[in-house]
Amino acid sequence: MRVEHASARLVHDYARGGTGMAADELWALEAHLEACGICRERLAAAVATEAPEITALLGAVRSDLDSRLDAAAPAPKRLRRRARLPRWATPVMVPWLAMTAGLTLIALLLDFLNPDFGEVSPVLLLAPALPLAGVAAAWSPGLDPAHELTSSAPRAGLYLLLRRTASVLTVLVPVLFAGGRLTGVTVAEWLLPTLAFTVAALALGGAIGVGRAAVVLGAVWAAVILAPALATQRTPLALRPDQLPAWALLLALGAGIVIARRGAYSVLRNPR
C-alpha cells in the first residue's frame, strides 16, 4: 500500500512554529508524524535548518536530563507494572473496572441466593448500566490527572475515547457473559441493551460531557427500569426479548450521532 507523506511546505511551516498553518492541517500533520518515521526524520532535518535555536535548546535539555536520569533511583516495581498498561489507558480506570466487575458478581450472587426478586434477574437488570461507571472514569477530567495532556494530543478525542470504552467492555463483557450463562439469560438479552446504553452515553456525552451523561443515564435507568422492576418483581418491558429490535435501533442511532458529532470530543474548553 502506497503511503502518502507530508509535503515539504507543511514540514517546513511546522518546523518554524506552525503559526500560519490552518488548524485542520496542523492536527492532520501531528497525527501523521506520530506514525511516520520518515516524516519525523524530515522534520528533524527541517528544524535544524529552519530553527537552529530549537535544536540548541533541545540539546541543552537532553544533556541536563541525561545527567539527572543517570543519578535517579529506579522506579518501584509497582510503578513499573503500571507502566505496562496500554498507552491509551489510564491507571484510574483499574479500580473503577474492578468495582464494576464486583457489582456484576454481587448481582450473580443475588440471583443464585434468589431472594424475593420474582421472575426478574439482577444480572439482566444491572448489565446495561454497569459499563457507565467505567466509561465515565475513562474520560473524566476529575479522575485523570493527565486529562488535559492526553485530550490535547493529536490522536485524542473520539479515537481515544472509543479505545478506552472498548477496554471497559473488554473487561465487563466476559464477566456478564459468564453471569448470563449461569443464570439462564441469553447473550442477546443483555448484550444489545448494554452496547446501546454505552453508545447512548457517548452520544449524549458529545453535548454535556461523558461523565455527566453517564450519571444522567444511570439515574434514568435506576428510576425507570430498576426501581419498578424490583417493586413489581417482574422483568420490565424494555428488557423482554421482543424489545431487542428497539435496542438494536437505539444502538445504530447512537453510533450515528457519535460519528456525526465526532469533533465534539476534542474540545478542550469544555472537557468531556
Side-chain angles (χ1 to χ4, degrees):
M1 184 177 66
R2 184 169 176 266
V3 178
E4 294 291 339
H5 295 290
S7 67
R9 178 187 66 82
L10 286 177
V11 172
H12 284 272
D13 287 349
Y14 190 76
R16 287 192 293 267
T19 54
M21 298 176 64
D24 57 341
E25 286 185 335
L26 185 62
W27 184 93
L29 178 60
E30 288 180 341
H32 176 73
L33 287 171
E34 189 177 281
C36 181
I38 294 175
C39 287
R40 287 198 300 271
E41 291 178 1
R42 293 171 55 206
L43 176 62
V47 168
T49 57
E50 300 287 344
E53 67 280 2
I54 295 179
T55 303
L57 176 61
L58 289 175
V61 171
R62 185 179 295 110
S63 298
D64 185 53
L65 283 177
D66 284 342
S67 61
R68 291 170 183 259
L69 290 174
D70 290 339
K77 291 182 178 180
R78 179 173 58 87
L79 294 180
R80 290 202 294 268
R81 286 195 298 268
R82 282 189 176 184
R84 288 196 291 267
L85 285 171
R87 63 183 179 179
W88 40 266
T90 171
V92 77
M93 293 170 59
V94 176
W96 282 80
L97 288 176
M99 177 198 70
T100 310
L103 287 175
T104 307
L105 296 177
I106 290 173
L108 179 60
L109 181 61
L110 290 175
D111 211 321
F112 278 131
L113 293 177
N114 196 24
D116 296 329
F117 285 115
E119 68 176 33
V120 65
S121 167
V123 174
L124 181 60
L125 275 181
L126 292 178
L130 283 175
L132 295 181
V135 171
W139 199 248
S140 173
L143 295 174
D144 184 3
H147 176 81
E148 291 189 1
L149 180 63
T150 56
S151 61
S152 62
R155 301 291 290 272
L158 182 60
Y159 174 81
L160 184 59
L161 178 60
L162 289 179
R163 295 196 70 167
R164 290 185 173 180
T165 302
S167 70
V168 173
L169 294 175
T170 299
V171 172
L172 293 182
V173 166
V175 179
L176 290 171
F177 178 79
R181 289 291 300 269
L182 292 173
T183 57
V185 178
T186 63
V187 173
E189 285 182 274
W190 60 263
L191 183 58
L192 266 178
T194 298
L195 294 179
F197 221 56
T198 302
V199 171
L202 300 184
L204 183 59
I208 66 174
V210 175
R212 297 188 191 98
V215 172
V216 168
L217 290 179
V220 169
W221 186 265
V224 177
I225 302 295
L226 184 60
L230 294 178
T232 61
Q233 299 180 6
R234 293 172 180 256
T235 301
L237 177 64
L239 293 177
R240 293 179 181 172
D242 58 350
Q243 297 301 312
L244 292 179
W247 285 110
L249 180 61
L250 178 62
L251 174 60
L253 180 62
I257 293 174
V258 169
I259 294 172
R261 290 181 48 81
R262 56 188 176 274
Y265 303 91
S266 301
V267 181
L268 277 178
R269 62 177 180 273
N270 182 20
R272 300 307 187 211

